[in-house]
């Protein structure tokens, strides 16, 4: 049996770290899975962004190639006179970004331009023609591709970006080249907004286009976070890159950061709650254990307290019965012992019963208008015989006019008897116990002062707790049950007062309990004022 509390305590000490570790593991798992979930979500956003970037880049390639094909379908490269005439008819509608179409003779050493069809004739065309012959043709990697194959050249010449679509063809044993000159500024100003700035797209994504040096050609600057994806135009404007940011991805990043903070706070809070809960349980269990020890001591003490006077009563009763008390003097002495011991027994039983009522919350007080000095006086008289027998003088002093108050007379008597009984028990060497009744500013005060050893400071805080027995009791083996002062406290509080202990000078302790002035009838207050 003695091992049980130790085993329980061991269990608690093992359980406590186990639970704390458990909470942290749980928090870790929660974090990890939420992190993985975020990663997954992020991945799916990245995939969606990539898909969108591909689709958007392809859109431009498709538009340019569609125009190239439109040009190709109406062009007649065999007839220089009419070359491009048909195209010019459809140019404005079907090929809005094509500025001019040229026919080059690749077989001639000078690579002559055989025909030019331009939507806007002017000096620009001449400049372009020269640029084509001197620079662009050599960049086109000609001769290697099969006839008819559509190819593109995207390059910057003299600070200006050019896009050319071109294909070769054989005619009358000559190799010809058709060059379609796309107007890049027009692509940027007309086609990009058409392709990338539609309202529906803008809600879920933002797009820009940057050139080979990273300068923005079209669109707003985009954040460089992991969720902005770039994709080069594969076929046409292949020197440029299209960047896409999903607006939902930006929102996601903000939401993730916010949720992470929230999760951290929640995990920390639940950790605190769990740990606080454990501490409360451990403290409560410890308190319960101590109380249960005190209760066992109480049962043992009370049984002993009951047994001692009972055996005395029985012993002196038997002496009287057997006629061994031969003188009337002795008989009176024996009878006196029997009476005082049975009084002690009755007082103890009364204490225990009252205390049991208090414990069960059933202590019912019966208040009536009474005089506090009278009630205290009666209690002192009840103790006087015993005090005299022990050579102690009980001195009662009533200081000034004490107004009548609503009191439970029996309860007040029990409180005073308990205090005087303690004074006699714990101060056996004292010569006097002073009892006083006084009125202070807000209370009526009853005080019992002895010349005993006083109360050690450690004990002062606890002596009013039920079942608690102080050093003065346990060290000197003074009889008692540890419920007297708890009862006094309850009685004082029931009378709107309180109880405490002071050190007495030069030695001893001075116990006081009070009755609140609220218990004093208003008429009485006026009288005593
Ligand atoms: P009990 O006297 O039965 O032990 P109480 O509740 O009356 O229980 O008192 C609680 C403790 O307070 C006592 O055990 C004792 O240590 C201490 N005590 C009470 N009155 C005095 C006193 N007059 N002088 C010294 N110690 C006292």
């Amino acid at each position: 049996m003695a091992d049980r509390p130790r085993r329980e305590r061991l269990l608690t000490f093992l359980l406590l770290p186990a639970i704390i570790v458990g909470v942290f593991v749980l928090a870790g798992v929660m974090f990890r899975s939420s992190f993985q979930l975020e990663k997954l979500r992020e991945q799916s956003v990245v995939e969606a962004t990539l898909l969108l970037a591909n689709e958007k880049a392809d859109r431009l390639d498709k538009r340019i190639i569609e125009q190239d094909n439109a040009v190709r379908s109406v062009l007649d490269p065999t007839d220089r006179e009419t070359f491009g005439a048909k195209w010019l008819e459809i140019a404005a509608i079907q090929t809005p970004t094509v500025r001019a179409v040229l026919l080059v003779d690749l077989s001639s050493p000078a690579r002559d331009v055989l025909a030019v069809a331009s939507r806007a004739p002017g000096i620009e065309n001449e400049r372009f023609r020269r640029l084509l012959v001197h620079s662009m043709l050599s960049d086109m990697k000609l001769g290697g591709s099969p006839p008819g194959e559509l190819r593109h050249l995207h390059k910057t010449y003299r600070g200006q970006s050019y896009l050319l679509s071109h294909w070769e063809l054989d005619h009358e044993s000559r190799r010809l080249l058709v060059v379609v000159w796309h107007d890049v500024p027009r692509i940027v100003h007309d086609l990009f907004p058409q392709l990338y700035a539609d309202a529906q797209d803008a809600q879920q994504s933002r797009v820009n286009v940057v050139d080979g040096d990273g300068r923005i050609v079209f669109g707003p600057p985009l954040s460089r976070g992991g969720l902005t994806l770039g994709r080069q135009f594969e076929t046409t404007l292949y020197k440029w890159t299209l960047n896409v940011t999903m607006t939902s991805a930006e929102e996601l990043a903000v939401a993730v950061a916010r949720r992470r903070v929230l999760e951290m706070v929640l995990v920390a809070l639940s950790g605190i709650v769990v740990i606080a809960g454990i501490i409360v349980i451990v403290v409560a269990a410890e308190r319960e254990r101590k109380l249960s020890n005190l209760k066992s001591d109480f049962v043992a003490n009370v049984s002993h307290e009951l047994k001692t006077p009972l055996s005395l009563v029985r012993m002196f009763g038997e002496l009287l019965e057997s006629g061994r008390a031969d003188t009337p003097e002795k008989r009176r002495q024996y009878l006196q012992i029997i009476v005082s011991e049975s009084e002690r027994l009755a007082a103890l039983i009364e204490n225990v019963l009252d205390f049991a009522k208090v414990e069960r919350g059933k202590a019912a007080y019966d208040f009536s208008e009474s005089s506090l000095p009278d009630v205290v006086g009666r209690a002192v008289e009840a103790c006087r015989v015993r005090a005299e027998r022990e050579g102690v003088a009980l001195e009662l002093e009533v200081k000034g006019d004490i107004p009548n108050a609503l009191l439970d007379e029996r309860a007040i008597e029990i409180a005073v008897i308990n205090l005087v009984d303690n004074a006699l028990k714990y101060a056996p060497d004292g010569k006097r116990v002073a009892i006083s009744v006084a009125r202070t500013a807000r209370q009526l005060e009853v005080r019992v002062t002895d010349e005993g050893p006083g109360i050690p400071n450690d004990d002062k805080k606890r002596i009013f707790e039920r079942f608690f027995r102080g050093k003065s009791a346990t060290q000197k083996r003074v009889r008692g049950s540890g419920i007297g002062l708890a009862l006094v406290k309850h009685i004082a509080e029931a009378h709107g007062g309180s109880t405490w202990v002071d050190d007495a000078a030069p030695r001893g302790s001075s116990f006081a309990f009070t009755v609140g002035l609220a218990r004093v009838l208003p008429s009485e207050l006026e009288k005593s004022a």
Side-chain angles (χ1 to χ4, degrees), residues 168-458:
E168 294 172 37
L169 53 99
D170 292 322
H171 180 64
E172 293 172 350
S173 70
R174 301 193 81 80
R175 178 139 283 213
L176 302 178
L177 176 76
V178 179
V179 175
V180 178
W181 174 19
H182 283 278
D183 188 344
V184 173
R186 206 177 183 133
I187 293 178
V188 171
H189 293 119
D190 294 351
L191 201 52
F192 279 171
Q194 258 181 45
L195 295 179
Y196 301 136
D198 52 310
Q200 203 190 356
D201 265 10
Q203 276 183 4
Q204 44 165 306
S205 64
R206 286 191 291 140
V207 173
N208 76 8
V209 177
V210 296
D211 66 13
D213 299 326
R215 276 191 300 261
I216 294 178
V217 179
F218 167 79
L222 299 180
S223 66
R224 287 268 173 101
L227 294 169
T228 296
L229 291 180
R231 152 86 149 72
Q232 275 186 314
F233 295 100
E234 213 164 75
T235 320
T236 55
L237 291 170
Y238 51 78
K239 286 276 161 70
W240 289 1
T241 308
L242 175 97
N243 293 307
V244 177
T245 293
M246 295 279 261
T247 42
S248 57
E250 286 176 336
E251 283 161 16
L252 182 87
V254 174
V256 164
R258 215 180 294 144
R259 199 163 39 229
R260 185 127 313 144
V261 171
L262 193 75
E263 270 169 15
M264 245 140 81
V265 169
L266 276 181
V267 167
L269 275 181
S270 29
I272 290 171
V273 167
V274 169
I275 291 168
I278 292 169
I279 291 172
V280 166
I281 290 171
V282 168
V283 167
E286 186 61 13
R287 200 174 286 165
E288 192 54 38
R289 194 184 60 80
K290 278 190 185 150
L291 191 68
S292 134
N293 284 351
L294 285 174
K295 273 184 184 166
S296 318
D297 290 350
F298 167 74
V299 171
N301 286 340
V302 168
S303 317
H304 183 72
E305 285 276 277
L306 290 173
K307 223 171 123 195
T308 319
L310 253 182
S311 15
L312 284 176
V313 168
R314 190 166 162 199
M315 190 177 93
F316 286 102
E318 278 172 1
L319 279 177
L320 285 173
E321 193 190 30
S322 63
R324 265 189 276 169
D326 31 23
T327 60
E329 185 68 19
K330 257 194 179 162
R331 274 201 292 275
R332 222 191 43 237
Q333 196 192 346
Y334 289 179
L335 279 171
Q336 232 176 28
I337 293 173
I338 289 175
V339 168
S340 75
E341 285 305 311
S342 45
E343 267 172 5
R344 210 173 110 187
L345 204 60
L348 176 69
I349 289 171
E350 216 160 316
N351 247 5
V352 172
L353 289 181
D354 278 337
F355 179 75
K357 267 196 215 156
V358 167
E359 278 289 278
R360 275 182 285 141
K362 287 203 173 158
Y365 290 90
D366 184 11
F367 297 104
S368 58
E369 189 187 341
S370 324
S371 148
L372 187 62
D374 287 358
V375 180
V376 174
R378 276 206 303 277
V380 170
E381 283 319 309
C383 301
R384 196 174 292 286
V385 181
R386 180 177 154 214
E388 275 168 5
R389 208 171 49 222
E390 293 177 16
V392 178
L394 294 187
E395 290 169 9
L396 172 64
E397 184 191 1
V398 178
K399 297 176 180 167
D401 267 352
I402 309 292
N404 280 357
L406 285 177
L407 306 174
D408 180 323
E409 295 187 7
R410 204 185 70 88
I412 298 284
E413 274 176 32
I414 287 176
V416 175
I417 290 171
N418 266 300
L419 292 181
V420 174
D421 182 56
N422 276 352
L424 295 175
K425 271 195 315 194
Y426 298 110
D429 307 331
K431 290 281 162 271
R432 68 188 261 277
V433 171
I435 301 109
S436 66
V437 183
R439 181 189 163 169
T440 64
R442 277 174 293 143
Q443 282 160 325
L444 306 182
E445 182 186 285
V446 179
R447 196 171 265 282
V448 178
T449 309
D450 63 49
E451 297 173 340
I455 315 271
N457 278 337
D458 290 356

Side-chain angles (χ1 to χ4, degrees), residues 301 305 418-419 421-427 448 450 452-456 459 462-465 467-474 478-487 508-509 511:
N301 286 340
E305 285 276 277
N418 266 300
L419 292 181
D421 182 56
N422 276 352
L424 295 175
K425 271 195 315 194
Y426 298 110
V448 178
D450 63 49
I455 315 271
D459 284 358
R462 300 201 56 198
I463 49 175
F464 293 95
E465 284 174 22
F467 309 132
F468 181 80
R469 305 211 67 214
K471 290 192 191 75
S472 42
T474 48
V478 179
R479 64 190 166 77
S481 52
I483 57 174
L485 290 181
L487 210 54
S509 43
F511 282 87

